[in-house]
Amino acid sequence: MREYDCDKILLSDKDKFHFFESVDIGTIWNNQLNNIESTARKKFVTLVAKIFKRGTLVKIVTGGSTLLDQTLTFTRNAITIVAIVEIDREKIDLSRFKGDFETKVLHKKYESQLLYPELQCKLVEWWGYYFWEKCDNFDVNDHIKFLREPDFSKDSSANPEDFNKLINHVTHERIWVKEKPLWEILIMENVTTERARGQTLLIFRCSHVLCDGISVLKMSSNLFETDVPANKSVPQEFDNISSQIWLLLKIPYLFVSFVKNISSHVNRVPPPNKRLHEIPEIFTKTMESMPMSVFKRIKDAYGIDHLSLLLAGVAFAIRQTYLERGLKVDDEIKAGFIQPLPSHPMKLRNHFTAGSILLPIGEPDSIKRLKLISARIRKFRSTRVSIFAAFIYKMIYALPLPIVRQLWKNPPIQTPIMVNNICGPSQKYYLYGDQVSIPFIGVNMARTQNRGLAYDTRFHTYNGTGHLGVSGFEEYFSSTAEASKFLADCFSEWEKLSGMANTFEV
């Protein structure tokens, strides 16, 4: 399995220390929580399953994955991960590709056990908990197939609006079947894209209950070749035990403070457009940004981390949406972010943390705004609030499903801004000798249940270059051109900061 050297791509040496300082306690808490889950749930329910469902129920679904179900998995609002891979070839030998997938993925083992057994399982409920149950009628042909939809012309995918329709189709319109595994690979051949004519698209889809985006990238990497050896992972650094204990004692207080000052912030971004449809349209655009070496130079110049720089670009773009409409800019707007945890397991897992800060969009000066964001990110990480929140969530979602479903009936207001940072492969991929690119990675937005989300932004890396994407409901984007404008504003802020970096003193 190829490991992605995310830290080398995204973090300077100074950043590495702060990043690991913020997650070492999380490793300890996660291990303890797994022990709690094992004692309270797995030890008993799994034992009963082994007695009465031996050979049928493969494994119990973790609390983190149960959280991502929210009773939506078999609806059009299912939380679905989509990764589109573009290959520089007109056609693909489908039989060969299926055979490679079976050999390199389905039958891949680690320590004599299948590495991805969930790919041949369906999601079932038993004794009040979700399990992965083996599908006796599993057929790889049901999951790797051509996308034969008349609405998607092979010659029109170069048009951003048509490509947007394709993304909406694969994220929202294809509903998961209860008796089938929650993944598929759709293939389109001889497609004209923004990059070139005569391309093949591999569209990887899976339910978020199955795994996270990095799991999809790590799993799919088994299918590709690379001419660069994988880099070694960066070792973790740990605080001494006394500081860990002191932090554990402070976390409940810090969590309450966070809820009071940030989590309760309810400002919404004013929508520039009216909703025109009962089920709103969604407009999505992804563009290549800058080489990661340029991002690193900016980070080093200002003494900040990668996430702060991402948020600075987003803050400027949001600020522009106010100014261009002649609106008074709010002082702050809440922004949430998803961050992968280090040491992602080889298996299919949801292995990430989340957090939020208040973006100072009311600050007109770019450097002051950047430094404010950086200070708030550092403060947030120093509190380990996200670890405590993850602990609470996992405890809740380790409860039986009937109790959990009562909680889902009153979902919280969504954070107006979401930023997802996905560390992709650092090297170039090839499939059967032809070059591969990754034009899109994302998670769908619930089309009929928007509770305040304005802009869903995504940053992913591939082959040393960053790619930024954004999705928004029709109240915020009336076309992909407006989504492109949002991304262009992000890029212009990064370019401005890059231009001023030479004269800035940390």
Side-chain angles (χ1 to χ4, degrees):
M1 173 65 66
R2 301 182 181 91
E3 294 291 338
Y4 305 122
D5 192 3
C6 304
D7 306 298
K8 186 172 182 180
I9 298 173
L10 300 179
L11 305 174
S12 64
D13 290 337
K14 184 192 299 183
D15 293 328
K16 288 175 188 175
F17 175 77
H18 290 302
F19 180 75
F20 288 122
E21 184 183 38
S22 71
V23 298
D24 54 3
I25 190 72
T27 302
I28 294 174
W29 277 58
N30 264 331
N31 289 341
Q32 293 303 316
L33 181 56
N34 288 336
N35 290 336
I36 292 172
E37 277 198 297
S38 177
T39 301
R41 182 175 69 166
K42 290 182 180 177
K43 287 288 187 181
F44 178 70
V45 180
T46 304
L47 176 61
V48 176
K50 286 182 178 179
I51 296 172
F52 295 100
K53 291 283 187 176
R54 177 177 292 274
T56 303
L57 296 182
V58 174
K59 61 172 64 174
I60 198 166
V61 175
T62 65
S65 290
T66 301
L67 164 65
L68 294 163
D69 168 56
Q70 300 182 23
T71 69
L72 300 173
T73 298
F74 301 105
T75 73
R76 68 186 303 165
N77 294 325
I79 305 177
T80 298
I81 297 172
V82 174
I84 299 180
V85 174
E86 182 177 339
I87 306 162
D88 292 349
R89 61 161 49 213
E90 286 189 10
K91 295 182 179 296
I92 189 172
D93 185 335
L94 186 58
S95 296
R96 178 184 180 185
F97 183 76
K98 288 179 180 177
D100 286 344
F101 188 87
E102 289 187 282
T103 302
K104 299 178 180 180
V105 178
L106 287 181
H107 300 155
K108 187 178 180 66
K109 292 186 176 182
Y110 178 73
E111 295 182 348
S112 75
Q113 299 291 320
L114 287 176
L115 194 56
Y116 311 116
E118 301 92 337
L119 295 179
Q120 301 180 63
C121 294
K122 58 186 176 181
L123 183 68
V124 298
E125 182 178 345
W126 190 78
W127 267 43
Y129 292 98
Y130 279 135
F131 278 83
W132 295 114
E133 182 180 279
K134 185 178 179 180
C135 283
D136 293 329
N137 60 346
F138 173 79
D139 186 348
V140 72
N141 295 300
D142 293 335
H143 299 272
I144 302 178
K145 54 193 174 183
F146 289 110
L147 177 61
R148 302 189 186 279
E149 297 291 338
D151 293 339
F152 309 119
S153 169
K154 294 179 180 179
D155 296 324
S156 64
S157 292
N159 183 318
E161 300 298 333
D162 289 324
F163 193 69
N164 184 72
K165 291 179 182 178
L166 173 63
I167 290 175
N168 282 339
H169 174 78
V170 297
T171 53
H172 306 292
E173 306 301 333
R174 299 182 69 87
I175 298 176
W176 300 112
V177 179
K178 288 188 176 182
E179 298 300 313
K180 300 284 187 180
L182 302 178
W183 68 274
E184 66 179 352
I185 302 174
L186 305 172
I187 301 170
M188 296 179 69
E189 294 182 324
N190 197 21
V191 177
T192 300
T193 69
E194 288 186 327
R195 290 184 64 249
R197 300 179 66 88
Q199 302 291 88
T200 293
L201 298 182
L202 300 180
I203 305 171
F204 292 80
R205 299 181 68 245
C206 76
S207 167
H208 214 326
V209 175
L210 185 66
C211 65
D212 57 21
I214 291 184
S215 292
V216 174
L217 291 175
K218 291 169 78 76
M219 177 188 70
S220 62
S221 71
N222 292 288
L223 300 167
F224 303 124
E225 310 98 36
T226 178
D227 50 14
V228 180
N231 293 306
K232 294 182 178 180
S233 299
V234 180
Q236 296 190 30
E237 303 177 31
F238 295 92
D239 293 339
N240 61 55
I241 189 64
S242 61
S243 65
Q244 297 280 7
I245 294 172
W246 176 239
L247 179 61
L248 287 173
L249 294 175
K250 291 195 302 180
I251 278 181
Y253 165 78
L254 295 170
F255 181 70
V256 171
S257 177
F258 166 77
V259 171
K260 179 180 178 182
N261 297 314
I262 297 178
S263 185
S264 59
H265 196 275
V266 294
N267 274 9
R268 292 187 61 181
V269 178
N273 309 311
K274 292 183 179 180
R275 176 184 270 196
L276 301 177
H277 304 90
E278 183 179 354
I279 298 178
E281 291 289 325
I282 294 176
F283 294 94
T284 297
K285 182 65 180 177
T286 300
M287 298 169 62
E288 184 175 306
S289 59
M290 301 185 299
M292 295 309 296
S293 58
V294 177
F295 279 104
K296 184 179 184 304
R297 186 177 68 83
I298 300 173
K299 291 186 299 177
D300 291 347
Y302 293 101
I304 60 170
D305 69 349
H306 183 73
L307 178 59
S308 297
L309 186 54
L310 292 185
L311 289 169
V314 172
F316 176 74
I318 296 169
R319 177 180 171 81
Q320 288 300 101
T321 65
Y322 282 78
L323 296 176
E324 289 166 2
R325 296 165 55 207
L327 299 177
K328 181 182 181 300
V329 182
D330 288 326
D331 291 335
E332 298 170 324
I333 198 77
K334 185 179 176 182
F337 47 86
I338 305 295
Q339 287 273 272
L341 289 170
S343 304
H344 193 292
M346 291 188 293
K347 300 179 180 181
L348 299 178
R349 288 290 185 273
N350 283 295
H351 189 73
F352 57 86
T353 186
S356 59
I357 65 167
L358 297 181
L359 276 186
I361 60 174
E363 171 56 58
D365 184 87
S366 293
I367 293 180
K368 289 181 179 179
R369 191 166 55 242
L370 173 65
K371 300 303 284 186
L372 278 172
I373 292 170
S374 178
R376 292 175 184 185
I377 288 293
R378 286 198 302 272
K379 182 176 181 180
F380 176 84
R381 284 179 171 163
S382 69
T383 66
R384 275 66 162 188
V385 163
S386 62
I387 303 302
F388 186 73
F391 179 86
I392 297 298
Y393 274 120
K394 283 192 174 183
M395 289 292 290
I396 292 173
Y397 290 100
L399 296 171
L401 285 171
I403 298 175
V404 172
R405 289 189 178 117
Q406 291 299 316
L407 302 175
W408 283 331
K409 288 183 177 180
N410 297 295
I413 295 175
Q414 286 180 296
T415 300
I417 315 299
M418 285 301 301
V419 178
N420 195 349
N421 179 29
I422 302 175
C423 181
S426 59
Q427 64 272 34
K428 187 181 295 183
Y429 279 166
Y430 300 86
L431 181 67
Y432 308 141
D434 294 304
Q435 186 171 312
V436 166
S437 62
I438 306 176
F440 178 84
I441 301 177
V443 179
N444 72 321
M445 301 164 62
R447 300 186 71 175
T448 60
Q449 297 189 13
N450 184 21
R451 300 182 300 276
L453 178 63
Y455 304 108
D456 179 31
T457 58
R458 307 165 303 277
F459 185 88
H460 76 269
T461 60
Y462 173 66
N463 190 31
T465 299
H467 299 74
L468 186 67
V470 65
S471 298
F473 290 97
E474 60 185 23
E475 298 98 307
Y476 293 94
F477 294 141
S478 62
S479 65
T480 56
E482 291 186 1
S484 297
K485 169 66 167 56
F486 185 95
L487 297 178
D489 286 339
C490 293
F491 297 160
S492 69
E493 180 73 348
W494 293 336
E495 290 167 359
K496 180 181 179 180
L497 290 168
S498 177
M500 295 188 295
N502 294 330
T503 59
F504 179 79
E505 294 184 4
V506 178

PDB file of all heavy atoms in Angstrom, residues 448-462:
ATOM      1  N   THR A 448     -32.044  18.704  -0.127  1.00  0.00           N
ATOM      2  CA  THR A 448     -33.340  19.134   0.403  1.00  0.00           C
ATOM      3  C   THR A 448     -33.272  19.511   1.872  1.00  0.00           C
ATOM      4  O   THR A 448     -34.286  19.823   2.457  1.00  0.00           O
ATOM      5  CB  THR A 448     -34.386  18.012   0.227  1.00  0.00           C
ATOM      6  OG1 THR A 448     -33.942  16.857   0.948  1.00  0.00           O
ATOM      7  CG2 THR A 448     -34.563  17.669  -1.231  1.00  0.00           C
ATOM      8  N   GLN A 449     -32.065  19.496   2.437  1.00  0.00           N
ATOM      9  CA  GLN A 449     -31.960  19.748   3.871  1.00  0.00           C
ATOM     10  C   GLN A 449     -30.888  20.778   4.193  1.00  0.00           C
ATOM     11  O   GLN A 449     -30.112  20.610   5.128  1.00  0.00           O
ATOM     12  CB  GLN A 449     -31.670  18.444   4.616  1.00  0.00           C
ATOM     13  CG  GLN A 449     -32.776  17.419   4.483  1.00  0.00           C
ATOM     14  CD  GLN A 449     -32.560  16.233   5.389  1.00  0.00           C
ATOM     15  OE1 GLN A 449     -31.731  16.250   6.277  1.00  0.00           O
ATOM     16  NE2 GLN A 449     -33.326  15.170   5.162  1.00  0.00           N
ATOM     17  N   ASN A 450     -30.813  21.844   3.405  1.00  0.00           N
ATOM     18  CA  ASN A 450     -29.832  22.874   3.707  1.00  0.00           C
ATOM     19  C   ASN A 450     -30.267  23.653   4.945  1.00  0.00           C
ATOM     20  O   ASN A 450     -31.323  24.262   4.978  1.00  0.00           O
ATOM     21  CB  ASN A 450     -29.690  23.834   2.524  1.00  0.00           C
ATOM     22  CG  ASN A 450     -28.603  24.875   2.785  1.00  0.00           C
ATOM     23  OD1 ASN A 450     -27.732  24.672   3.622  1.00  0.00           O
ATOM     24  ND2 ASN A 450     -28.655  25.976   2.066  1.00  0.00           N
ATOM     25  N   ARG A 451     -29.427  23.628   5.967  1.00  0.00           N
ATOM     26  CA  ARG A 451     -29.733  24.284   7.229  1.00  0.00           C
ATOM     27  C   ARG A 451     -28.742  25.397   7.522  1.00  0.00           C
ATOM     28  O   ARG A 451     -28.364  25.631   8.666  1.00  0.00           O
ATOM     29  CB  ARG A 451     -29.741  23.260   8.368  1.00  0.00           C
ATOM     30  CG  ARG A 451     -30.763  22.149   8.191  1.00  0.00           C
ATOM     31  CD  ARG A 451     -30.765  21.174   9.361  1.00  0.00           C
ATOM     32  NE  ARG A 451     -29.475  20.528   9.538  1.00  0.00           N
ATOM     33  CZ  ARG A 451     -29.075  19.453   8.875  1.00  0.00           C
ATOM     34  NH1 ARG A 451     -29.871  18.909   7.960  1.00  0.00           N
ATOM     35  NH2 ARG A 451     -27.894  18.909   9.100  1.00  0.00           N
ATOM     36  N   GLY A 452     -28.334  26.107   6.472  1.00  0.00           N
ATOM     37  CA  GLY A 452     -27.457  27.253   6.676  1.00  0.00           C
ATOM     38  C   GLY A 452     -26.146  27.202   5.921  1.00  0.00           C
ATOM     39  O   GLY A 452     -25.376  28.166   5.955  1.00  0.00           O
ATOM     40  N   LEU A 453     -25.828  26.089   5.236  1.00  0.00           N
ATOM     41  CA  LEU A 453     -24.573  25.987   4.507  1.00  0.00           C
ATOM     42  C   LEU A 453     -24.587  26.896   3.282  1.00  0.00           C
ATOM     43  O   LEU A 453     -25.515  26.865   2.472  1.00  0.00           O
ATOM     44  CB  LEU A 453     -24.332  24.538   4.069  1.00  0.00           C
ATOM     45  CG  LEU A 453     -23.062  24.277   3.251  1.00  0.00           C
ATOM     46  CD1 LEU A 453     -21.824  24.599   4.065  1.00  0.00           C
ATOM     47  CD2 LEU A 453     -23.029  22.832   2.782  1.00  0.00           C
ATOM     48  N   ALA A 454     -23.545  27.714   3.135  1.00  0.00           N
ATOM     49  CA  ALA A 454     -23.430  28.616   1.991  1.00  0.00           C
ATOM     50  C   ALA A 454     -22.407  28.098   0.982  1.00  0.00           C
ATOM     51  O   ALA A 454     -22.719  27.924  -0.191  1.00  0.00           O
ATOM     52  CB  ALA A 454     -23.046  30.022   2.456  1.00  0.00           C
ATOM     53  N   TYR A 455     -21.178  27.856   1.442  1.00  0.00           N
ATOM     54  CA  TYR A 455     -20.102  27.445   0.543  1.00  0.00           C
ATOM     55  C   TYR A 455     -19.388  26.216   1.109  1.00  0.00           C
ATOM     56  O   TYR A 455     -18.899  26.232   2.236  1.00  0.00           O
ATOM     57  CB  TYR A 455     -19.087  28.579   0.355  1.00  0.00           C
ATOM     58  CG  TYR A 455     -19.702  29.863  -0.148  1.00  0.00           C
ATOM     59  CD1 TYR A 455     -19.829  30.970   0.687  1.00  0.00           C
ATOM     60  CD2 TYR A 455     -20.169  29.960  -1.461  1.00  0.00           C
ATOM     61  CE1 TYR A 455     -20.404  32.148   0.232  1.00  0.00           C
ATOM     62  CE2 TYR A 455     -20.744  31.133  -1.927  1.00  0.00           C
ATOM     63  CZ  TYR A 455     -20.859  32.222  -1.079  1.00  0.00           C
ATOM     64  OH  TYR A 455     -21.437  33.388  -1.535  1.00  0.00           O
ATOM     65  N   ASP A 456     -19.339  25.163   0.313  1.00  0.00           N
ATOM     66  CA  ASP A 456     -18.618  23.950   0.674  1.00  0.00           C
ATOM     67  C   ASP A 456     -17.347  23.919  -0.162  1.00  0.00           C
ATOM     68  O   ASP A 456     -17.395  23.678  -1.370  1.00  0.00           O
ATOM     69  CB  ASP A 456     -19.484  22.722   0.393  1.00  0.00           C
ATOM     70  CG  ASP A 456     -18.776  21.425   0.732  1.00  0.00           C
ATOM     71  OD1 ASP A 456     -17.954  21.436   1.667  1.00  0.00           O
ATOM     72  OD2 ASP A 456     -19.028  20.407   0.066  1.00  0.00           O
ATOM     73  N   THR A 457     -16.214  24.206   0.451  1.00  0.00           N
ATOM     74  CA  THR A 457     -14.960  24.288  -0.281  1.00  0.00           C
ATOM     75  C   THR A 457     -14.090  23.069   0.011  1.00  0.00           C
ATOM     76  O   THR A 457     -14.114  22.513   1.103  1.00  0.00           O
ATOM     77  CB  THR A 457     -14.182  25.570   0.071  1.00  0.00           C
ATOM     78  OG1 THR A 457     -13.929  25.603   1.483  1.00  0.00           O
ATOM     79  CG2 THR A 457     -14.980  26.804  -0.315  1.00  0.00           C
ATOM     80  N   ARG A 458     -13.313  22.672  -0.991  1.00  0.00           N
ATOM     81  CA  ARG A 458     -12.476  21.477  -0.892  1.00  0.00           C
ATOM     82  C   ARG A 458     -11.108  21.771  -1.504  1.00  0.00           C
ATOM     83  O   ARG A 458     -11.015  22.345  -2.586  1.00  0.00           O
ATOM     84  CB  ARG A 458     -13.099  20.306  -1.661  1.00  0.00           C
ATOM     85  CG  ARG A 458     -14.530  20.001  -1.310  1.00  0.00           C
ATOM     86  CD  ARG A 458     -15.167  19.091  -2.339  1.00  0.00           C
ATOM     87  NE  ARG A 458     -15.113  19.653  -3.685  1.00  0.00           N
ATOM     88  CZ  ARG A 458     -15.981  20.535  -4.158  1.00  0.00           C
ATOM     89  NH1 ARG A 458     -16.967  20.970  -3.397  1.00  0.00           N
ATOM     90  NH2 ARG A 458     -15.868  20.998  -5.381  1.00  0.00           N
ATOM     91  N   PHE A 459     -10.085  21.363  -0.808  1.00  0.00           N
ATOM     92  CA  PHE A 459      -8.727  21.482  -1.340  1.00  0.00           C
ATOM     93  C   PHE A 459      -8.121  20.093  -1.365  1.00  0.00           C
ATOM     94  O   PHE A 459      -8.157  19.379  -0.360  1.00  0.00           O
ATOM     95  CB  PHE A 459      -7.892  22.411  -0.453  1.00  0.00           C
ATOM     96  CG  PHE A 459      -6.506  22.683  -0.987  1.00  0.00           C
ATOM     97  CD1 PHE A 459      -6.279  23.730  -1.863  1.00  0.00           C
ATOM     98  CD2 PHE A 459      -5.440  21.868  -0.627  1.00  0.00           C
ATOM     99  CE1 PHE A 459      -5.004  23.984  -2.353  1.00  0.00           C
ATOM    100  CE2 PHE A 459      -4.165  22.106  -1.114  1.00  0.00           C
ATOM    101  CZ  PHE A 459      -3.949  23.169  -1.981  1.00  0.00           C
ATOM    102  N   HIS A 460      -7.596  19.682  -2.526  1.00  0.00           N
ATOM    103  CA  HIS A 460      -6.889  18.410  -2.565  1.00  0.00           C
ATOM    104  C   HIS A 460      -5.596  18.567  -3.354  1.00  0.00           C
ATOM    105  O   HIS A 460      -5.484  19.427  -4.237  1.00  0.00           O
ATOM    106  CB  HIS A 460      -7.759  17.287  -3.149  1.00  0.00           C
ATOM    107  CG  HIS A 460      -7.921  17.321  -4.644  1.00  0.00           C
ATOM    108  ND1 HIS A 460      -8.947  17.990  -5.271  1.00  0.00           N
ATOM    109  CD2 HIS A 460      -7.194  16.738  -5.645  1.00  0.00           C
ATOM    110  CE1 HIS A 460      -8.855  17.840  -6.583  1.00  0.00           C
ATOM    111  NE2 HIS A 460      -7.797  17.079  -6.833  1.00  0.00           N
ATOM    112  N   THR A 461      -4.631  17.756  -2.991  1.00  0.00           N
ATOM    113  CA  THR A 461      -3.332  17.798  -3.660  1.00  0.00           C
ATOM    114  C   THR A 461      -3.170  16.589  -4.557  1.00  0.00           C
ATOM    115  O   THR A 461      -3.718  15.509  -4.290  1.00  0.00           O
ATOM    116  CB  THR A 461      -2.187  17.818  -2.632  1.00  0.00           C
ATOM    117  OG1 THR A 461      -2.257  16.630  -1.822  1.00  0.00           O
ATOM    118  CG2 THR A 461      -2.285  19.033  -1.728  1.00  0.00           C
ATOM    119  N   TYR A 462      -2.414  16.786  -5.631  1.00  0.00           N
ATOM    120  CA  TYR A 462      -2.064  15.678  -6.509  1.00  0.00           C
ATOM    121  C   TYR A 462      -0.796  16.046  -7.254  1.00  0.00           C
ATOM    122  O   TYR A 462      -0.715  17.116  -7.883  1.00  0.00           O
ATOM    123  CB  TYR A 462      -3.183  15.370  -7.501  1.00  0.00           C
ATOM    124  CG  TYR A 462      -2.793  14.322  -8.543  1.00  0.00           C
ATOM    125  CD1 TYR A 462      -2.534  13.008  -8.156  1.00  0.00           C
ATOM    126  CD2 TYR A 462      -2.639  14.654  -9.880  1.00  0.00           C
ATOM    127  CE1 TYR A 462      -2.151  12.056  -9.076  1.00  0.00           C
ATOM    128  CE2 TYR A 462      -2.263  13.704 -10.824  1.00  0.00           C
ATOM    129  CZ  TYR A 462      -2.016  12.402 -10.413  1.00  0.00           C
ATOM    130  OH  TYR A 462      -1.633  11.461 -11.333  1.00  0.00           O
TER     131      TYR A 462
END
